[in-house]
């Protein structure tokens, strides 16, 4: 932030801030008399590019790949002054399609780079020294304690952990290397493989730098703009401003032990016996979560595959065997389950990066080639159709693209639910009765995610602080989490991995008791609703018209009749087979013994 060019841009931003967004009842779209000429766009944003719809794939007519904060400020000022819709794009992974719109400007922030390690952090009015794309990462001598990482908002999990590896540090991020850390992931909740040990993504952030709707760069930490800082840790991406930089915790990397388990029913056609087994496994697993263990599983009507991991100085294959195998062997003798076909493969790694590389790959698009089956096997068994790779962003270091809407559904569940007598039958009812249907269990709660919720300093959906399991329903179709919602009505859903057409009572489903206060913070920092995503805080402000034009809505955030969020007019649906990349299609093992 020290360069003369940036200071000049900031000064012009302050001047521009006095020009308010027009109070017009509708936004301007291409073809309107008020739509600026191309030369005006280019004058304000010299690097801007035009975009055309691709087949049935709609996109805004202009796109800016920002690499500096000054460009972000210019994009915000231009769209505000000209009453034009603005979409923020980072990794493009949003399942709900909130990174894209049929009109206006796409502001891509994945080019905001630069990182610096700090050995300590104290919240201050001016924030930490800023980074830009020329800031080369320093290394810290290997240390036992926690450090902090300041980075441009365009980095993803894989890039950050690769940068941290020489200092033997790690940071939390999605279990998919290409998801951005300071975008929708870190601003909504952010669950990670090691969440049970270190908390959610929102628990990692100690400072954000954000350009708000007035075009002004603001520091948000516990000392400065604390209300904005609170809102940015749970209120969701694309809502309060454009985050350009984050400072987050970096934890010392320790050994990792993992195990993969596959199990199926004795009779391949038996589509009942797996549920009592799975329910028992999940009920037992909560105790391991409180020790810091995490797991992902995929449950099919006749089989289950589990992938569990634990990071600590004592983590080893032997530790995993001792902890896990006796219980698994015991419960795999349950009725209808074939313990002879249980495959149990423990592995160990010297540090988190070695584990991450093997499981999720160290290069864009690469799975964990060394994995004995599991994710890689499923992906190989069901290669993504060509349309998918075309729509998926090209990966690290490159400009990203919106990947399209995915019709999954999900619900958060606590210990009480996982230990309920009804759990096995609820699981069975929840299994999507659709082609490719399976339940993707994410054991990313418990442990620190619960403890850090005491006097919660974040605005994350309070149900996260009781969550042990985030259960996702996958299918080639539109699965429904209704049986889970009816079973656990007081919990809620993760807005990033939810049904795209939103749930009834969406405000409490995604934000719980925090919604009214989040709506106030939204009004304070974005009074004319420049930033609009749905579902999102303050989504009631606009209604999308068929031509992509947003018009002021009569609804208000306190209107109890606003049971459903305004419909998103992004109609770019991903190929339904995209779930093969995230979950699995048919279970590969058929027992013939
Ligand atoms: C394959 C896959 C794996 C996933 N794994 C996980 C997981 O392990 N854990 C988990 O919690 N989630 C996971 N997710 C869901 C993920 O949290 C969401 O897709 C999330 O919205 C991605 O945020 P993004 O910024 O990377 O993506 P984008 O789609 O680019 O952005 C998402 C939203 O955030 C806004 N946004 C992005 N950057 C900024 C910014 N700098 N400032 C303000 N707003 C911004 C966008 O406008 C949009 O509304 C996964 C998704 C996929 C597709």
């Amino acid at each position: 932030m020290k360069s003369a060019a940036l200071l000049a841009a900031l000064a012009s931003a302050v001047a521009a801030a006095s020009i308010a967004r027009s109070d017009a009842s509708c936004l301007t779209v291409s073809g309107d008399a008020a739509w600026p000429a191309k030369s005006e766009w280019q004058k304000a944003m010299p690097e801007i590019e035009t975009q055309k719809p691709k087949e049935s794939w709609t996109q805004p007519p202009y796109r800016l790949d920002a690499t500096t904060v000054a460009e972000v400020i210019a994009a915000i000022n231009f769209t505000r002054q000209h009453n034009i819709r603005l979409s923020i794009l980072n990794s493009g992974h949003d399942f709900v399609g909130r990174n894209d719109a049929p009109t206006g400007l796409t502001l891509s922030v994945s080019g905001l780079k630069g990182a610096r390690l700090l050995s300590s952090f104290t919240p201050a009015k001016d924030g930490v020294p800023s980074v830009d794309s020329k800031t080369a990462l320093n290394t810290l001598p290997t240390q036992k304690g926690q450090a902090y990482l300041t980075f441009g908002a365009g980095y993803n999990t894989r890039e950050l952990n690769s940068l941290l590896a020489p200092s033997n540090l790690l940071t939390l991020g999605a279990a998919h290397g290409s998801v951005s850390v300071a975008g929708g992931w870190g601003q909504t909740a952010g669950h990670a493989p090691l969440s049970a040990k270190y908390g959610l993504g929102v628990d990692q952030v100690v400072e954000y730098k954000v350009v708000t709707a007035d075009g002004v760069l603001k520091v948000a930490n516990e000392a400065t703009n604390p209300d904005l800082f609170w809102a940015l840790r749970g209120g969701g991406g694309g809502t309060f401003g454009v985050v350009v930089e984050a400072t987050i915790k970096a934890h010392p990397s320790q050994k990792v032990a993992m195990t993969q388990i596959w199990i199926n029913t004795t009779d391949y056609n038996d589509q009942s016996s797996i549920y009592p087994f799975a329910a028992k496994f999940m009920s037992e697993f909560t105790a391991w979560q409180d020790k810091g263990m995490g797991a992902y599983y995929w449950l099919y009507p006749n089989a289950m595959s589990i992938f569990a991991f634990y990071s600590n100085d004592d983590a080893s294959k032997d530790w995993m065997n001792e902890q896990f195998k006796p219980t698994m062997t015991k419960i795999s003798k349950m009725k209808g389950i074939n313990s002879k076909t249980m495959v149990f493969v423990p592995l160990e790694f010297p540090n988190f990066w070695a584990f991450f590389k093997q499981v999720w790959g160290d290069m864009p698009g690469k799975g964990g080639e060394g994995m004995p089956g599991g994710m890689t096997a499923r992906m190989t068994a069901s290669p993504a159709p060509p349309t998918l790779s075309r729509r998926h962003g090209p990966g690290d270091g490159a400009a990203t693209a919106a990947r399209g809407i995915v019709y999954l559904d999900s619900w958060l569940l606590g210990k009480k639910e996982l230990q309920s007598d009804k759990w096995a039958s609820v699981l069975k009812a929840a299994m999507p009765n659709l082609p490719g249907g399976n339940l993707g269990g994410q054991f990313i709660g418990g442990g620190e995610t619960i403890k850090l919720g005491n006097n919660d300093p974040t605005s994350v959906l309070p149900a996260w602080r009781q969550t042990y399991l985030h259960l996702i329903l996958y299918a080639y179709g539109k699965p429904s989490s209704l049986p889970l919602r009816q079973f656990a009505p007081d919990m809620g859903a993760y807005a990033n991995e939810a049904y795209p057409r939103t749930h009834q009572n969406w405000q409490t489903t995604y934000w719980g008791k925090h919604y009214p206060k989040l709506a106030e913070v939204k009004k304070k920092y974005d009074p004319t609703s420049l930033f609009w995503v749905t579902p999102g805080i303050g989504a009631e402000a606009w209604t999308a018209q068929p031509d992509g034009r947003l018009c002021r809505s009569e609804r208000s955030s306190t209107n109890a009749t606003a049971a459903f969020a305004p419909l998103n007019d992004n109609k770019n649906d991903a190929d339904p087979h995209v779930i093969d990349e995230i979950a699995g299609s048919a279970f590969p093992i058929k027992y013939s013994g």
Side-chain angles (χ1 to χ4, degrees):
M1 257 13 85
K2 298 247 172 348
S3 74
L6 185 55
L7 288 174
L10 290 175
S12 87
V14 173
S18 58
I19 306 170
R21 188 183 185 92
S22 138
D23 230 5
S25 57
C26 294
L27 295 190
T28 301
V29 298
S30 169
D32 289 352
W35 182 255
K38 191 173 175 185
S39 56
E40 287 183 70
W41 289 84
Q42 287 169 327
K43 191 170 163 221
M45 294 166 276
E47 301 299 323
I48 202 155
E49 288 170 22
T50 51
Q51 309 191 107
K52 287 205 162 53
K54 289 184 192 151
E55 297 157 31
S56 61
W57 197 262
T58 57
Q59 45 191 0
Y62 285 99
R63 170 176 173 138
L64 179 67
D65 285 281
T67 54
T68 65
V69 175
E71 286 178 295
V72 171
I73 291 171
I76 288 178
N77 284 338
F78 188 85
T79 48
R80 187 190 66 246
Q81 288 158 10
H82 292 278
N83 223 19
I84 285 170
R85 191 158 169 190
L86 175 65
S87 301
I88 310 163
L89 173 72
N90 204 333
S91 78
H93 278 67
D94 197 48
F95 289 115
V96 192
R98 292 167 298 185
N99 46 28
D100 203 2
T103 183
L105 171 67
T106 293
L107 172 63
S108 165
V109 294
S110 62
L112 295 176
K113 302 287 192 193
R116 181 181 297 117
L117 267 167
L118 307 170
S119 51
S120 64
F121 172 83
T122 308
K125 188 169 159 291
D126 296 333
V128 295
S130 292
V131 293
D132 61 28
S133 55
K134 296 194 190 71
T135 316
L137 185 79
N138 54 318
T139 46
L140 288 179
T142 303
Q143 57 176 67
K144 288 277 172 216
Q146 187 180 281
Y148 298 87
L149 179 70
T150 300
F151 62 98
Y155 281 114
N156 65 37
T157 312
R158 182 190 297 110
E159 291 170 319
L160 289 186
N161 279 296
S162 161
L163 287 172
L164 288 173
S167 297
N168 201 41
L169 291 165
L170 67 89
T171 188
L172 260 56
H176 181 86
S178 303
V179 175
S180 304
V181 173
W185 182 86
Q187 292 178 49
T188 311
H191 60 81
L194 299 188
S195 278
K197 188 172 171 72
Y198 296 117
L200 296 167
V202 292
D203 298 320
Q204 311 307 307
V205 186
V206 293
E207 180 174 295
Y208 274 129
K209 292 211 181 96
V210 52
V211 183
T212 42
D214 51 9
V216 176
L217 178 66
K218 294 190 173 66
V219 172
N221 61 31
E222 274 177 6
T224 318
N225 299 313
D227 52 354
L228 183 59
F229 183 49
W230 171 81
L232 286 167
R233 289 175 300 155
T239 305
F240 301 98
V242 179
V243 166
V244 291
E245 181 193 288
T247 301
I248 59 173
K249 296 173 190 168
H251 305 280
S253 182
Q254 293 169 291
K255 288 197 277 183
V256 180
M258 65 166 265
T259 187
Q260 286 193 283
I261 302 162
W262 291 269
I263 191 133
N264 57 354
T265 53
T266 308
D267 174 0
Y268 187 78
N269 298 315
D270 172 359
Q271 305 220 335
S272 299
S273 300
I274 201 71
Y275 297 103
F277 165 82
K280 182 74 181 155
F281 164 77
M282 293 184 217
S283 140
E284 301 262 339
F285 198 82
T286 55
W288 286 312
Q289 286 177 277
D290 287 334
K291 292 182 186 174
M293 199 190 282
Y296 300 108
Y297 70 76
W298 291 269
L299 179 64
Y300 304 84
N302 59 357
M304 188 172 187
S305 75
I306 302 160
F307 161 48
F309 34 83
Y310 171 73
S311 177
N312 211 12
D313 288 339
D314 63 353
S316 67
K317 279 200 247 187
D318 288 346
W319 186 93
M320 213 61 170
N321 270 326
E322 273 165 35
Q323 295 288 316
F324 230 75
K325 209 167 178 179
T327 309
M328 291 310 295
T329 306
K330 187 181 76 195
I331 67 172
S332 65
K333 292 192 177 117
M334 287 173 76
K335 186 171 163 284
I337 296 296
N338 194 331
S339 62
K340 286 190 201 139
T341 58
M342 186 173 88
V343 182
F344 187 92
V345 187
L347 291 174
E348 61 188 36
F349 302 91
N351 54 50
F352 180 75
W353 180 234
F355 162 73
F356 191 93
K357 271 196 297 187
Q358 178 127 353
V359 177
W360 288 289
D362 60 351
M363 294 290 288
K366 265 173 81 181
E369 270 70 12
M371 287 266 283
M375 296 184 168
T376 312
R378 274 193 314 279
M379 288 185 212
T380 319
S382 306
T387 47
L388 172 64
S389 43
R390 183 162 53 81
R391 286 172 178 177
H392 193 285
D396 301 347
T400 50
R403 59 184 288 141
I405 294 170
V406 180
Y407 286 84
L408 46 75
D409 203 352
S410 71
W411 203 248
L412 300 171
L413 297 144
K415 203 181 251 184
K416 186 177 81 179
E417 285 82 23
L418 301 186
Q419 295 182 345
S420 153
D421 293 345
K422 296 189 185 132
W423 181 222
S425 56
V426 173
L427 267 178
K428 190 172 183 196
M431 178 64 73
N433 187 17
L434 290 164
N438 66 81
L439 296 176
Q442 318 234 323
F443 274 121
I444 37 60
E448 281 305 292
T449 64
I450 311 275
K451 283 192 208 146
L452 291 170
N454 287 335
N455 298 319
D456 198 348
T458 78
S459 55
V460 76
L461 168 69
W464 270 109
R465 302 309 191 177
Q466 294 167 47
T467 292
Y468 279 74
L469 176 68
H470 167 40
L471 190 59
I472 306 184
L473 293 80
Y474 298 111
Y476 306 156
K478 296 181 179 172
S480 164
S481 65
L482 188 61
L484 301 171
R485 280 183 269 153
Q486 287 172 335
F487 177 54
D490 298 334
M491 293 298 283
Y494 181 26
N496 281 358
E497 295 178 317
Y499 190 69
R501 293 297 174 231
T502 80
H503 289 296
Q504 211 162 359
N505 306 321
W506 61 284
Q507 295 153 330
T508 45
T509 295
Y510 301 134
W511 289 282
K513 66 173 185 189
H514 294 318
Y515 192 90
K517 188 171 162 201
L518 283 165
E520 275 174 34
V521 178
K522 165 83 176 162
K523 279 211 173 101
K524 175 175 167 188
Y525 289 95
D526 184 15
T528 60
S529 294
L530 175 71
F531 302 105
W532 185 76
V533 290
T534 183
I537 306 299
E540 314 84 350
W542 298 106
T543 306
Q545 309 301 311
D547 58 358
R549 189 189 303 274
L550 297 182
C551 290
R552 297 269 174 213
S553 162
E554 294 302 309
R555 303 185 198 213
S556 94
S557 61
T558 52
N559 181 352
T561 61
F564 290 91
L567 266 187
N568 190 348
D569 57 346
N570 177 0
K571 299 281 189 298
N572 294 337
D573 291 349
D575 187 298
H577 293 79
V578 71
I579 63 151
D580 293 343
E581 189 191 337
I582 310 151
S585 53
F587 193 76
I589 300 175
K590 181 165 180 172
Y591 178 60
S592 56

